[in-house]
């Protein structure tokens, strides 16, 4: 425990709740979630479909705002940020990696990688040089001018990782980065992520594949919008959550709405 | 940053070339229509203004028909029909005008309908004008060969315009040749130098006309002078207003107080012509604007489709750090690039068409900076007006919803 106290955590969530919809159709995607993530951690988040993993990543990545609860990013509250400032944080501190790669199909590979730098206002030549260097480290220097539809899923995901890294973000958020890939490509991607982690980056990765958690140094299991198990705190009693007073959204409501969606 | 936005917008536009081209076409048509109307209208206005001014700014014209003036003496209306219809101006009016103090020269213009021939060769669209020697000074005519009418020249002599000479005789030097006007023989005693102005309301072209004495003109018309116009130069330019007023009073007396004629100074003639053109130009511009609005709606339509189709792209861009502002700029710039390109092509096309048309309409379309500026800013304006709504829609998209959309 003393280890963490020495430095400021990158991410602190306090009783974070996210609701979708109104009235009877309300879904509790995140339910009073508490979480602290230190700099340099490689966190794997697991859990059944619909338990709120993507919602959590979106909130961490400032793409979405919590219904209530507190989110401190680098010790600063994310609540007071304007839309502009949030975009700036996304651009400078956060790198997203998606299951479906999410490259822009009309742009070639290198343009896709430079895109975050474009929004930063960097000069074109400088951008291209930087992206080119990065693509080289991914062994993709020969594909710089390929279009996304000319490449394999594994290659696309490496391009997406390059794009996420190009701004030297402090946090990488990866939502099932290997979900669309075969075992071999998955392995390559995981090695890349592991390398990035070894360079001191914080990585938060959602995955359904238990085999991949070996790459992570912390595994969090989520159920119904809250943390069920956290490998970092195995001493925490299994039924700790259950002892907490139930909030006014009953579990059954949550299940019903989830069943509908 | 703006350079990046333009590059992003350009690459998006390139990605759907046919769509971009068709949308731009709508603007091209609109801007071409507006520019063409403005250029032709302005050109016509300038041409008429020049023609009037070339005759000398001090010419006073007496015409049939009545003008309406307000209290300051400004012309507010002119009865064109009366001006073209049967004339009310007589030879005695001419004599009275000549005797008005301060009048230096007064020349009548009597248009005679009839053929102009050399033997069997008949001249096309030429006019026979009966006038007095004074026309030479009043209309600033110069002679290429021979002489103009004088008090001594006889009835059977004629002076012809430069183009008429070439048309009938194949040469400018037609001195001494025979000319048949309304089946009467005339001898040519003078050929005019090329004149680059036309008579305004009477509308004949000096270069294509044959000029005979008023006496000869009367002989074609049962001895009566049917004068369509009297052109007067005052002795002193500064006295022009007073002279015009005196002429008016004299003629009013001649016409028993009936104001069936108009005394117009040449600046007023420009003013009349301008007000007629201004009205025509604004009506046609309004009609042409409709096509531009349709073009603008085309842009809005396509941009809305673009925004919907690219919802996921918007989500991705926001996820990697685009602000609402940059998304707005991207889509707005796309719309503006289409409308500006359309505008520039439209302007170019309009001038090509105008130059082509100038061969038919007989004057050069005005290629003025204000018209270019109007066309350019109008197309920019259309891009902004019709692009802002789709762009706002794009900027306001929720990144989460946008990313959830299927690719
Ligand atoms: N934009 C939204 N509008 C309404 N409900 C939503 C929205 N996003 C998520 N939800 C709901 O919130 C709950 C959590 O969704 P989330 O996408 O975070 O799950 P997940 O753990 O990522 O699932 P999966 O493993 O299938 O990706 C689900 O019940 C889902 O239906
Ligand atoms: Mg998910």
């Amino acid at each position: 425990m003393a280890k963490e106290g020495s430095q400021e955590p990158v991410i602190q969530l306090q009783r974070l709740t996210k609701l979708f919809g109104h009235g009877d159709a309300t879904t509790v995607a995140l339910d009073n979630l508490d979480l602290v993530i230190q700099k340099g951690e490689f966190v794997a988040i697991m859990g059944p479909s619909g338990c709120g993993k993507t919602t959590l990543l979106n909130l961490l990545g400032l793409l979405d705002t919590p219904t209530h609860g507190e989110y401190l990013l680098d010790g600063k509250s994310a609540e007071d940020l304007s839309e502009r400032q949030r975009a700036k944080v996304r651009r400078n501190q956060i790198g997203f990696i998606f299951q479906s790669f999410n490259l822009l199909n009309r742009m070639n590979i290198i343009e896709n990688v430079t895109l975050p730098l474009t929004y930063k206002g960097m000069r074109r030549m400088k951008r291209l040089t930087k992206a080119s260097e990065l693509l080289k480290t991914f062994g993709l220097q020969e594909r710089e001018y390929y279009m996304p539809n000319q490449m394999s899923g594994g290659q696309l995901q490496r391009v997406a990782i390059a794009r996420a890294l190009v701004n030297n973000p402090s946090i990488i958020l990866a939502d099932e980065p290997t979900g669309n890939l075969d075992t071999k490509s998955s392995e390559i991607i995981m090695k890349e992520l592991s390398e990035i982690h070894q360079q001191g980056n914080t990585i938060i990765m959602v995955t359904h594949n238990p085999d991949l958690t070996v790459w992570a140094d912390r595994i969090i299991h989520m159920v119904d919008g809250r943390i069920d198990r956290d490998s970092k705190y195995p001493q925490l009693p299994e039924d700790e959550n259950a002892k907490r007073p139930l909030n006014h959204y009953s579990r059954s409501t949550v299940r019903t709405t989830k069943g509908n969606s | 940053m703006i350079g990046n936005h333009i590059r992003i917008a350009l690459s998006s536009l390139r990605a759907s070339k046919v769509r971009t081209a068709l949308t731009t076409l709508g603007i091209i048509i609109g801007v071409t229509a507006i520019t063409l109307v403005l250029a032709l209208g302005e050109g016509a206005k300038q041409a008429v203004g020049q023609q009037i001014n070339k005759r000398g700014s001090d010419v006073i014209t007496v015409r049939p028909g009545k003008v309406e003036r307000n209290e300051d003496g400004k012309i507010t209306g002119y009865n064109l029909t009366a001006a073209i219809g049967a004339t009310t101006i007589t030879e005695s009016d001419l004599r009275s005008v000549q005797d008005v103090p301060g009048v230096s020269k007064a020349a009548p213009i009597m248009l005679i309908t009839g053929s102009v021939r050399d033997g069997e060769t008949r001249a096309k669209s030429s006019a026979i004008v009966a006038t007095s020697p004074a026309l030479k000074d009043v209309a600033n005519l110069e002679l290429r060969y021979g002489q103009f009418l004088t008090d001594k020249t006889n009835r059977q002599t004629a002076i012809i315009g430069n183009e008429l000479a070439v048309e009938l005789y194949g040469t400018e030097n037609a001195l001494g040749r025979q000319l048949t006007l309304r089946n009467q023989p005339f001898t040519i005693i003078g050929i005019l130098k090329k004149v680059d102005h036309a008579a305004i309301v009477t509308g004949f072209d000096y270069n294509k006309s044959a000029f005979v004495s008023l006496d000869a003109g009367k002989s074609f018309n049962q001895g009566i002078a049917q004068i369509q116009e009297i052109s007067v130069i005052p002795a002193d330019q500064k006295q022009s207003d007073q002279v015009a007023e005196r002429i008016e009073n004299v003629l009013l007396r001649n016409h028993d107080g009936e104001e069936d004629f108009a005394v117009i100074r040449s600046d007023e003639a420009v003013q009349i012509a301008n007000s007629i053109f201004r009205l025509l130009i604004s009506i046609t511009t309004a009609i042409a604007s409709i096509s531009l609005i349709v073009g603008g709606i085309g842009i809005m339509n396509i941009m809305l489709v673009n925004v919907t189709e690219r919802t996921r792209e918007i989500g991705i861009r926001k996820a990697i750090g685009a602000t609402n502002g940059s998304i707005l700029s991207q889509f707005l710039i796309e719309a503006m690039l289409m409308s500006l390109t359309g505008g520039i092509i439209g302007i170019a096309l309009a001038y090509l068409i105008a130059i082509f048309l100038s061969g038919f309409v007989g004057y050069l379309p005005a290629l003025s900076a204000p018209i270019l500026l109007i066309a350019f800013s109008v197309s920019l304006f259309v891009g902004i007006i019709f692009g802002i709504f789709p762009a706002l829609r794009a900027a306001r998209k929720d990144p989460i919803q946008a990313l959830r959309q299927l690719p």
Side-chain angles (χ1 to χ4, degrees):
Chain A
M1 283 281 156
K3 198 174 71 194
E4 291 109 56
S6 60
Q7 58 183 145
E8 186 77 13
V10 238
I11 290 169
Q12 277 175 282
L13 303 181
Q14 282 154 22
R15 301 184 70 75
L16 202 74
T17 298
K18 178 70 187 178
L19 308 178
F20 287 110
H22 306 275
D24 288 345
T26 306
T27 309
V28 185
L30 293 177
D31 185 4
N32 284 299
L33 193 116
D34 295 307
L35 179 63
V36 175
I37 294 174
Q38 300 298 335
K39 192 173 172 349
E41 279 187 324
F42 189 160
V43 183
I45 299 177
M46 300 198 57
S49 184
C51 69
K53 305 181 294 294
T54 300
T55 306
L56 177 61
L57 282 200
N58 286 340
L59 285 169
L60 293 180
L62 293 181
L63 279 176
D64 211 350
T65 46
T67 312
H68 40 84
E70 181 100 51
Y71 172 22
L72 301 178
L73 177 65
D74 281 329
K76 287 187 282 287
S77 171
E79 202 177 354
D80 317 325
L81 297 176
S82 67
E83 188 280 326
R84 250 189 114 74
Q85 289 167 319
R86 293 159 67 84
K88 200 173 163 196
V89 171
R90 285 201 294 273
R91 159 183 351 136
N92 293 325
Q93 283 171 258
I94 291 161
F96 274 102
I97 302 169
F98 304 91
Q99 175 175 357
S100 49
F101 323 130
N102 277 344
L103 297 176
L104 297 187
N105 289 325
R106 315 152 182 265
M107 292 187 170
N108 65 28
I109 294 313
I110 193 156
E111 279 176 338
N112 263 288
V113 175
T114 56
L115 210 54
L117 301 176
T118 311
Y119 287 118
K120 217 173 178 173
M122 193 184 274
R123 304 289 303 264
R124 188 173 156 78
M125 278 320 292
K126 217 173 149 192
R127 275 186 342 237
L128 289 175
T129 321
K130 188 153 187 203
S132 191
E133 274 167 19
L134 199 58
L135 281 170
K136 203 186 250 169
T137 66
F138 284 89
L140 289 167
Q141 69 268 42
E142 269 140 40
R143 316 254 151 160
E144 280 178 3
Y145 293 97
Y146 277 47
M147 296 307 281
N149 60 13
Q150 296 170 307
M151 298 180 60
S152 75
Q155 289 169 330
L156 289 178
Q157 196 58 301
R158 277 185 283 154
V159 174
I161 295 176
R163 181 181 66 186
L165 288 178
V166 76
N167 265 338
N168 303 319
S170 43
I171 310 166
I172 308 281
L173 301 173
D175 197 352
E176 299 182 47
T178 61
N180 283 356
L181 301 178
D182 57 53
T183 329
K184 205 164 155 269
S185 305
S186 300
E187 175 125 350
I188 297 171
I189 294 300
M190 288 317 296
K191 276 188 182 140
E192 298 285 7
L193 287 178
S194 170
E195 210 162 287
I196 295 163
H197 172 229
Q198 256 132 57
Q199 285 157 12
N201 282 294
T202 312
I203 301 180
I204 301 164
M205 177 185 76
V206 168
T207 181
H208 279 297
N209 185 346
D211 299 343
L212 298 184
T213 53
V214 295
W215 301 94
D217 54 18
R218 177 176 176 190
I219 302 161
I220 292 174
H221 278 271
M222 282 178 69
V223 175
D224 288 346
R226 51 174 72 198
I227 292 171
D228 185 49
R229 267 177 289 144
D230 188 338
S231 67
K232 203 174 179 183
Y233 307 106
Q235 73 273 31
L236 221 108
E238 192 64 29
D239 55 351
E240 169 77 359
N241 284 329
K243 272 194 256 161
R244 276 208 325 233
L246 270 180
N247 56 25
H248 57 286
Y249 304 102
S250 75
R251 307 291 290 227
S252 62
T253 315
V254 178
R255 287 220 178 84
T256 329
T257 31
K258 206 157 52 227
N260 294 342
S261 61
Chain B
M1 198 63 197
I2 195 83
N4 283 334
H5 284 316
I6 292 176
R7 206 168 295 116
I8 292 170
L10 273 177
S11 71
S12 302
L13 290 177
R14 265 200 299 270
S16 43
K17 289 196 189 70
V18 177
R19 183 186 287 184
T20 306
L22 286 176
T23 311
T24 310
L25 187 64
I27 297 295
I28 294 177
I29 292 170
V31 172
T32 306
I34 287 186
T35 314
L36 200 57
V37 163
L38 287 176
L40 287 175
E42 190 61 32
K45 209 168 108 184
Q46 282 177 9
V48 169
Q50 273 166 11
Q51 284 175 355
I52 295 172
N53 280 331
K54 268 195 193 123
R55 300 200 315 176
S57 54
D58 53 341
V59 175
I60 299 164
T61 312
V62 181
R63 287 188 191 137
K66 183 174 153 60
V67 290
E68 273 142 39
R69 293 171 193 270
N70 63 14
E71 289 121 33
D72 310 333
K74 282 233 159 146
I75 292 180
T76 55
Y78 182 58
N79 191 338
L80 275 171
T81 336
I84 302 162
T87 178
T88 51
I89 299 170
T90 63
E91 207 179 349
S92 84
D93 287 334
L94 173 65
R95 274 191 299 270
S96 311
V97 170
Q98 278 163 339
D99 292 341
V100 166
V103 168
S104 156
K105 297 263 160 106
I109 286 173
M110 172 178 176
L111 290 174
I112 294 149
T113 41
S115 61
V116 177
R117 285 188 289 127
D118 166 38
E120 290 307 301
T121 335
R122 193 188 161 126
K124 283 180 223 117
S125 70
S126 59
I128 307 169
V129 181
T131 183
S132 74
L135 185 71
K136 181 169 180 289
D137 295 322
V138 172
N140 279 330
L141 302 177
E142 286 177 281
L143 283 133
R144 183 87 173 80
Y145 297 104
Q147 58 166 111
F148 199 70
L149 300 166
T150 66
D151 294 333
K152 289 177 208 93
T153 47
N154 79 32
R155 262 192 201 196
Q156 255 67 51
T157 54
I159 285 84
I160 60 173
N162 189 286
E163 286 171 26
L164 182 60
V166 174
E167 184 181 356
L168 286 182
Y169 307 101
T171 167
E172 286 187 344
N173 192 348
L175 268 187
R177 306 286 284 263
Q178 288 298 306
L179 180 71
T180 311
L181 301 175
R182 268 185 79 131
N183 301 321
Q184 304 279 325
F186 283 79
T187 308
I188 297 169
I189 58 160
I191 294 98
L192 297 179
K193 274 190 183 167
K194 197 165 169 49
V195 175
D196 54 8
H197 55 87
I200 305 309
V201 172
T202 40
F204 65 86
D205 183 343
Y206 286 98
N207 298 313
K208 289 181 178 164
S209 300
F211 300 86
V212 297
S213 65
L214 195 60
D215 283 347
K218 278 156 66 181
S219 75
F220 286 129
N221 195 38
Q222 284 99 39
I224 302 158
Q226 278 258 334
I227 298 171
Q228 272 89 7
E229 179 179 318
I230 302 172
S231 294
V232 179
I233 356 182
D236 182 358
Q237 241 196 77
K238 291 186 214 89
Q239 299 280 306
S240 162
D241 282 356
Q242 289 93 316
V243 173
E245 205 175 317
R246 265 177 244 149
I247 293 174
E248 188 142 8
N249 290 335
V250 167
L251 290 183
L252 212 53
R253 219 176 304 135
N254 278 6
H255 289 231
D256 307 318
E258 186 69 36
E259 218 183 301
D260 53 1
F261 61 90
V263 179
I264 301 163
R265 278 171 289 117
S266 68
D267 52 339
E268 290 179 326
V270 175
Q271 197 191 317
I272 293 173
N274 276 356
S275 64
I276 294 169
F277 278 115
R278 219 172 295 131
L279 183 69
L280 284 176
I281 291 172
S282 34
I283 293 171
T284 39
T285 310
I287 295 169
S289 306
I290 295 172
S291 63
L292 193 63
I293 292 172
V294 173
I297 293 172
I299 286 196
M300 179 146 88
N301 190 22
I302 278 304
M303 288 312 295
L304 284 173
V305 174
N306 271 345
V307 170
T308 309
E309 277 186 1
R310 284 152 63 188
T311 300
R312 196 176 170 83
E313 171 185 331
I314 295 166
I316 296 170
R317 286 181 184 275
K318 285 194 169 180
I320 61 177
T323 57
N324 290 356
S326 24
I327 300 290
L328 180 95
S329 317
Q330 180 193 337
F331 282 89
L332 192 57
I333 287 172
E334 262 180 52
M336 280 165 63
L337 279 178
M338 280 197 279
S339 71
L340 269 188
T341 316
I344 290 167
I345 297 175
I347 291 169
L349 200 64
Y351 278 114
L352 284 180
I353 296 174
I355 287 163
F356 174 74
L357 283 182
S358 67
F360 299 99
V361 295
Y363 60 86
L364 272 176
L367 208 146
S368 70
I371 294 180
L372 281 175
L373 204 69
I374 289 173
F376 191 78
S377 27
V378 158
S379 52
L380 192 72
F381 187 68
V382 164
I384 295 175
I385 288 299
F386 292 96
I388 192 83
F389 172 60
L392 275 174
R393 242 200 190 184
R396 288 193 189 135
K397 283 219 185 278
D398 174 14
I400 298 300
Q401 300 299 345
L403 281 169
R404 278 162 69 95
Q405 196 159 92
L406 291 174

